[in-house]
Amino acid sequence: MNELTEISANITDYLAEQENKGFLRFITCGSVDDGKSTLIGRLLFDTKLIFEDQLAALERDSKKHGTLGDDIDFALLVDGLEAEREQGITIDVAYRFFATDKRKFIVADTPGHEQYTRNMATGASTADLAVILIDARKGVLTQTRRHSFIVSLLGIRHVVVAVNKMDLVDYSEERFREIEQAYRAFGETFDFETLEIVPVSALKGDNIMERSPVMPWYQGKSLLDHLNTVEIGSDEAERPFRMPVQWVNRPNLDFRGYCGTVVSGTVRPGDKVVIAKSGRATEISRIVSMDGDLDEAVSGDSITLLLKDEVDISRGDVICASDSRAEVADQFSAHLIWMSDEALYPGRPYLLKTGTQTVTATVTELKHKIDVNSFEHLAAKEMHLNEVAFCNLSLSSPIAFDPYETNREMGSFILIDRFTNQTVGAGVIWYALRRASNIHLQALDVDKTAHADLKGQKPAVLWFTGLSGAGKSTIANLVEKKLHARGRHTYLLDGDNVRHGLNRDLGFTEADRVENIRRVGEVAKLFVDAGLITLVSFISPFRAERQMARNLVADDEFIEIYVSTPLSVAEERDPKGLYRKARDGQLKNFTGIDSPYEEPENAQLVLDTVGNDADVLADQVIRYLEDNGYIGR
């Protein structure tokens, strides 16, 4: 019995010891084949975290997939995807855990290929430290500079540069010093808090666990010794209290709790707090957890807060310390990393998610792209995969945030494609635009309803879309004539006419097409506010831009009308000779030829122009307006 008690006590002591160990998240990054996966495999092997059956499997895999002959290929411990093993590269981010007597670690092995830079940014977003590998034979490369820039951009302030494969340069001190000098020449501009440069051989284990005798000229710490001792000051507990509300818990009439995870600061019962968006102040009455009521909650704790007062709070709101309220704005400047194969164009709508808040957002201006090789600022109208830019964003409603440099959780966001739900971008908020906080809507006594009542009609946007030559303008013109004959108040915005004035500065690139529709959508919104039935005849080839225009007005104020005509028929008509010019290469980015047209998926009206008279199709539109109460019969 005493023996069992002793074993139990030893286990308890061991668990307590593990729980009290420090914790460090770090990433490995660098160019292709610099040895990132091998380094992590070596760390796992040397810290005794590989079981005998895993080691046996690794030996078999090394013979099948390895590149080291009869030696163990440690990279295979991390490169788990078959495609990674076949190509000998890392594609996805791989997370691994290991521990020493002093610390616990989670390491992310990130890809080196430029096309997977977005994966590298994902791994860096939660890391405290970065290990940037450099092949001693190749020195500082473009990817080294790229990853160093992204590491700095994403707020990592502790960096170790591991000059790997020193065994392949005969452990040359001269070569190491060349690389060290070259990296420090640009690396010190990033204002890292710690920057250590260590010569290593991940394959041989030199300077990994302890200093290697084959490089007596190096007097610094080994890699693991530095990881064990580097001071990663976590000041999250000292920062102002922030808790984004994830769920309002109302199991009965006597309990209303606000659930979420504390992202910074400390909170106690009796603390004064404020709701960021509304500014409503209240007091914490209880802190509830799975273990019962708490006297205190700190950063990382998942809790339920009960408040002294009845306050209107919902998912997405942020509860803050009353003496340090988070910023609230609907426009801000941010650094953005683009992660989609589809280009970003200013004006195109996306979903922006930060914490538990999700709103519609558009990039209103690309201030500049950043050449991650030279760090130059470049003029740009669009963004492509893996590019980094500084831009302005406008949101459909204000959000609560802190600048990224003061709070990583509150200052980071992702952009999501509205149609595919894929993450297409990741960004860090730099600052709110001043105009977002000092411009307010002026309340007007004569509003949209008053304008519409005076005209005796229900305002709406009739959005005619279709290929060039489909008959949009013809049908829209006939509809307006019929409405005018009935005494209805209308206005027709035609694509060609608008390009002679409001949009005369725009071309026909995808970026200009997006801006073309954005401006027209805003004008149409103003006309609807004036109580008009507004007819818009634009090719408007992209669903995202038509959705953007729809979002500007109420749900029942936007009527999408698809003027359906096969490309062959539209090309045969060719009333302006544009298809012929496009086929001859004289007209670039022409819809249907070398620029796509995305057909509406849920148009309210589909007008088939093949074999149907334009006047008959116009009557179909009039009947729709009558049947749905926009005009009287």
Side-chain angles (χ1 to χ4, degrees):
M1 192 67 177
N2 289 336
E3 185 177 348
L4 289 176
T5 303
E6 184 178 347
I7 292 173
S8 177
N10 290 338
I11 293 175
T12 302
D13 291 343
Y14 174 78
L15 293 175
E17 179 186 343
Q18 294 299 312
E19 186 175 348
N20 293 326
K21 278 185 182 179
F23 190 80
L24 177 68
R25 282 179 172 268
F26 71 95
I27 64 167
T28 59
C29 52
S31 191
V32 178
D33 201 30
D34 278 347
K36 298 177 295 298
S37 299
T38 300
L39 175 64
I40 296 175
R42 169 61 71 176
L43 287 170
L44 295 176
F45 180 79
D46 286 349
T47 52
K48 313 301 182 186
L49 284 183
I50 303 176
F51 297 109
E52 290 185 5
D53 58 336
Q54 290 177 304
L55 183 59
L58 179 61
E59 291 173 345
R60 291 194 303 270
D61 289 343
S62 295
K63 294 177 180 178
K64 179 181 179 182
H65 299 284
T67 59
L68 304 175
D70 293 332
D71 292 334
I72 294 177
D73 190 344
F74 291 108
L76 298 180
L77 280 171
V78 185
D79 290 339
L81 300 176
E82 187 67 23
E84 294 178 324
R85 294 184 167 199
E86 289 175 355
Q87 300 178 58
I89 63 171
T90 299
I91 296 175
D92 203 355
V93 182
Y95 295 92
R96 294 292 184 270
F97 170 87
F98 70 97
T100 65
D101 292 338
K102 299 178 181 179
R103 224 173 207 166
K104 295 180 289 187
F105 301 91
I106 289 182
V107 54
D109 181 26
T110 63
H113 271 264
E114 179 179 347
Q115 71 187 88
Y116 300 120
T117 299
R118 54 188 170 185
N119 301 45
M120 178 267 166
T122 300
S125 63
T126 57
D128 304 306
L129 178 146
V131 177
I132 300 174
L133 277 86
I134 296 176
D135 189 325
R137 300 168 301 172
K138 302 174 183 177
V140 175
L141 300 176
T142 297
Q143 270 303 70
T144 313
R145 299 169 69 88
R146 180 189 302 273
H147 287 174
S148 298
F149 174 78
I150 293 175
V151 160
S152 172
L153 178 64
L154 293 179
I156 297 177
R157 291 292 172 260
H158 302 274
V159 170
V160 179
V161 176
V163 182
N164 192 26
K165 304 187 180 181
M166 288 298 296
D167 54 307
L168 299 182
V169 294
D170 296 326
Y171 301 103
S172 168
E173 179 182 6
E174 181 181 359
R175 180 56 177 157
F176 171 74
R177 299 303 177 193
E178 288 175 3
I179 295 172
E180 180 183 34
Q181 182 179 0
Y183 188 88
R184 289 191 185 278
F186 77 91
E188 291 181 347
T189 63
F190 293 129
D191 196 28
F192 296 132
E193 289 183 26
T194 63
L195 173 59
E196 297 293 330
I197 303 180
V198 184
V200 302
S201 170
L203 179 63
K204 304 295 185 182
D206 296 312
N207 282 343
I208 302 297
M209 296 291 290
E210 55 188 24
R211 289 238 305 267
S212 172
V214 298
M215 288 179 277
W217 44 264
Y218 174 70
Q219 299 299 310
K221 294 180 178 179
S222 68
L223 176 62
L224 190 59
D225 193 17
H226 179 72
L227 294 178
N228 269 326
T229 57
V230 62
E231 292 292 335
I232 305 293
S234 178
D235 58 352
E236 291 177 350
E238 285 72 41
R239 293 175 184 163
F241 170 67
R242 302 281 188 266
M243 193 194 84
V245 175
Q246 186 172 2
W247 178 48
V248 180
N249 186 3
R250 193 77 191 280
N252 56 59
L253 294 176
D254 300 321
F255 188 99
R256 183 192 296 271
Y258 303 99
C259 307
T261 300
V262 180
V263 298
S264 66
T266 303
V267 64
R268 301 175 184 86
D271 283 356
K272 306 290 186 183
V273 293
V274 65
I275 312 308
K277 285 186 187 178
S278 67
R280 177 70 187 275
T282 184
E283 184 179 306
I284 303 296
S285 61
R286 290 173 59 192
I287 303 174
V288 180
S289 74
M290 291 293 291
D291 298 322
D293 282 18
L294 302 177
D295 295 328
E296 178 183 271
V298 298
S299 176
D301 288 346
S302 296
I303 57 173
T304 298
L305 294 179
L306 277 69
L307 306 179
K308 180 179 178 181
D309 307 297
E310 290 286 340
V311 182
D312 182 15
I313 302 176
S314 58
R315 176 181 169 84
D317 283 324
V318 179
I319 303 176
C320 309
S322 62
D323 59 351
S324 181
R325 181 178 168 189
E327 294 187 53
V328 177
D330 61 2
Q331 296 182 58
F332 52 77
S333 291
H335 279 103
L336 182 66
I337 301 173
W338 195 243
M339 298 179 169
S340 173
D341 293 321
E342 295 290 330
L344 175 144
Y345 299 102
R348 180 166 286 179
Y350 300 94
L351 294 178
L352 180 147
K353 188 175 189 303
T354 174
T356 58
Q357 305 171 93
T358 302
V359 296
T360 300
T362 58
V363 174
T364 56
E365 181 182 6
L366 287 175
K367 307 290 285 185
H368 57 258
K369 284 197 295 193
I370 300 171
D371 186 327
V372 295
N373 306 319
S374 63
F375 312 130
E376 289 183 282
H377 294 175
L378 308 174
K381 286 189 174 182
E382 58 197 55
M383 283 184 74
H384 297 278
L385 177 65
N386 294 326
E387 290 186 332
V388 179
F390 189 66
C391 58
N392 292 344
L393 290 98
S394 177
L395 315 184
S396 58
S397 61
I399 63 168
F401 71 95
D402 290 310
Y404 185 80
E405 63 181 352
T406 62
N407 193 317
R408 289 173 73 174
E409 293 289 338
M410 291 288 293
S412 57
F413 65 89
I414 59 172
L415 292 181
I416 302 169
D417 186 281
R418 298 169 58 91
F419 297 100
T420 64
N421 285 324
Q422 290 183 326
T423 298
V424 293
V428 295
I429 300 173
W430 230 238
Y431 52 80
L433 296 177
R434 187 169 181 269
R435 63 176 178 270
S437 57
N438 66 5
I439 296 178
H440 306 277
L441 286 174
Q442 177 65 42
L444 302 176
D445 293 329
V446 182
D447 60 9
K448 177 168 56 178
T449 302
H451 287 302
D453 289 345
L454 183 65
K455 297 174 176 62
Q457 62 189 33
K458 183 177 178 180
V461 176
L462 309 185
W463 194 281
F464 294 82
T465 177
L467 293 169
S468 176
K472 301 181 298 301
S473 297
T474 301
I475 298 171
N477 187 52
L478 286 170
V479 171
E480 187 178 35
K481 286 176 63 177
K482 292 174 184 289
L483 290 172
H484 184 73
R486 294 186 178 206
R488 299 303 171 188
H489 299 263
T490 64
Y491 196 86
L492 173 57
L493 294 167
D494 183 80
D496 284 351
N497 293 347
V498 171
R499 279 189 177 273
H500 279 85
L502 176 67
N503 292 348
R504 67 183 301 174
D505 61 317
L506 299 177
F508 292 89
T509 65
E510 287 196 34
D512 284 346
R513 287 174 184 271
V514 172
E515 176 62 12
N516 186 41
I517 299 304
R518 187 195 69 80
R519 293 182 190 179
V520 171
E522 292 287 353
V523 172
K525 175 189 176 183
L526 293 176
F527 285 170
V528 167
D529 285 343
L532 300 178
I533 296 175
T534 308
L535 299 88
V536 179
S537 175
F538 274 67
I539 293 174
S540 48
F542 304 118
R543 296 189 190 103
E545 279 64 71
R546 298 195 295 268
Q547 183 65 43
M548 173 180 61
R550 180 186 291 274
N551 291 340
L552 293 172
V553 296
D555 288 342
D556 60 349
E557 292 176 346
F558 191 92
I559 303 167
E560 189 173 29
I561 302 171
Y562 176 33
V563 182
S564 175
T565 304
L567 176 62
S568 59
V569 174
E571 193 167 357
E572 184 179 335
R573 294 173 183 170
D574 202 10
K576 303 171 186 176
L578 300 178
Y579 283 100
R580 177 172 48 79
K581 288 183 179 180
R583 291 294 186 189
D584 292 341
Q586 302 175 34
L587 195 60
K588 299 296 183 184
N589 301 311
F590 190 74
T591 302
I593 304 301
D594 55 355
S595 185
Y597 177 81
E598 298 173 355
E599 294 184 6
E601 296 178 329
N602 297 294
Q604 280 89 343
L605 277 171
V606 178
L607 306 179
D608 186 356
T609 66
V610 178
N612 292 312
D613 183 73
D615 195 67
V616 173
L617 297 174
D619 284 336
Q620 286 187 31
V621 178
I622 297 296
R623 283 196 298 274
Y624 181 90
L625 296 177
E626 291 173 341
D627 293 343
N628 291 276
Y630 292 93
I631 59 174
R633 293 186 182 277

